[in-house]
Amino acid sequence: MAFPLGRPARLAVVASGRGTNLAALIAAFPPGGDEAEVALVVSEKASAPALERARGAGVEAAHLPWDTREAFEERLHGLLAARGVDLVCLAGFMRVLSPAFVDRWHGRLLNVHPSLLPKHRGLHAQRQALEEGVRESGCSVHFVDAGVDTGKVIVQRRVPVLPGDDEEALAARIRTEEHVAYPEAVRLVLRGEVTP
Ligand code: GAR
């Protein structure tokens, strides 16, 4: 399958937490949207606010428990296939998917990370930026490959690191840019303008 599809794309969002990126994606690609619609939201956490947001927007929300990575991935793949999902957006999903799963979804699996990749990969990206003393940070939306935050970058947006910033202040400034960058990256991929 290659983009563009010639019909509205069906998106799935996988999220572990509060889901502000999910909200931005639903706002950009609402149910019944012309270009794409968020058709499914999945979380490994039953209590994730992301699931509540999805339900509130009239989007199917599924809790898939993380018993083992293999079991989670089998269930996730089955659900994505059953719902005819074209593109999967990881949005604050705090687990690492296996190379086998990533390979199955090659070119159709995106992630947002709170740094200017390749800088500050992995956990606590904002803390890494503050500890390094950089004057600028930002966010990256990228294709997921078998590494951690190593796939091809699609969109980056920059923010200043300001005197007195703590992790939460920097994270909030970066998140605001993520909400612009993620829909932009999804559009580029759906239009076939960026490929892995
Ligand atoms: C976002 O800042 C995202 O970049 C980050 O989690 C936050 C989720 O926010 N992801 C990672 O750190 C992945 N390693 P949200 O739940 O409000 O969208």
Side-chain angles (χ1 to χ4, degrees):
M1 192 206 64
F3 297 114
L5 297 172
R7 58 166 171 80
R10 293 175 62 74
L11 311 180
V13 179
V14 185
S16 305
R18 84 184 97 191
T20 65
N21 279 284
L22 165 67
L25 288 167
I26 292 177
F29 308 111
D34 290 341
E35 189 165 20
E37 67 174 319
V38 176
L40 174 67
V41 175
V42 173
S43 183
E44 85 287 16
K45 287 196 182 154
S47 62
L51 292 177
E52 228 15 78
R53 278 186 204 272
R55 291 185 195 108
V59 176
E60 179 181 358
H63 166 234
L64 301 184
W66 186 279
D67 303 329
T68 65
R69 183 165 75 173
E70 291 67 28
F72 175 85
E73 290 179 342
E74 271 314 302
R75 285 196 204 101
L76 177 60
H77 181 78
L79 188 57
L80 296 171
R83 297 297 183 269
V85 168
D86 302 301
L87 184 69
V88 181
C89 300
L90 307 181
F93 180 59
M94 303 311 279
R95 305 275 187 164
V96 176
L97 295 167
S98 71
F101 183 92
V102 168
D103 195 46
R104 263 168 143 178
W105 286 87
H106 176 76
R108 302 198 291 149
L109 184 57
L110 311 186
N111 181 45
V112 61
H113 184 74
S115 79
L116 296 174
L117 292 172
K119 287 183 160 220
H120 313 136
R121 291 177 168 136
L123 289 176
H124 309 301
Q126 300 92 340
R127 189 184 306 168
Q128 293 180 51
L130 292 171
E131 284 174 358
E132 199 184 300
V134 293
R135 303 189 52 180
E136 191 179 51
S137 185
C139 64
S140 305
V141 182
H142 63 94
F143 286 106
V144 177
D145 69 7
V148 175
D149 304 322
T150 51
K152 179 175 169 180
V153 170
I154 303 161
V155 172
Q156 287 187 318
R157 289 180 68 89
R158 298 170 178 276
V159 303
V161 179
L162 300 177
D165 268 355
D166 59 12
E167 271 182 66
E168 189 40 49
L170 180 57
R173 195 174 306 120
I174 291 173
R175 247 189 338 263
T176 302
E177 298 307 313
E178 292 181 341
H179 301 160
V180 179
Y182 218 154
E184 190 182 332
V186 167
R187 284 195 187 95
L188 288 171
V189 172
L190 293 181
R191 292 173 187 173
E193 289 172 22
V194 184
T195 59

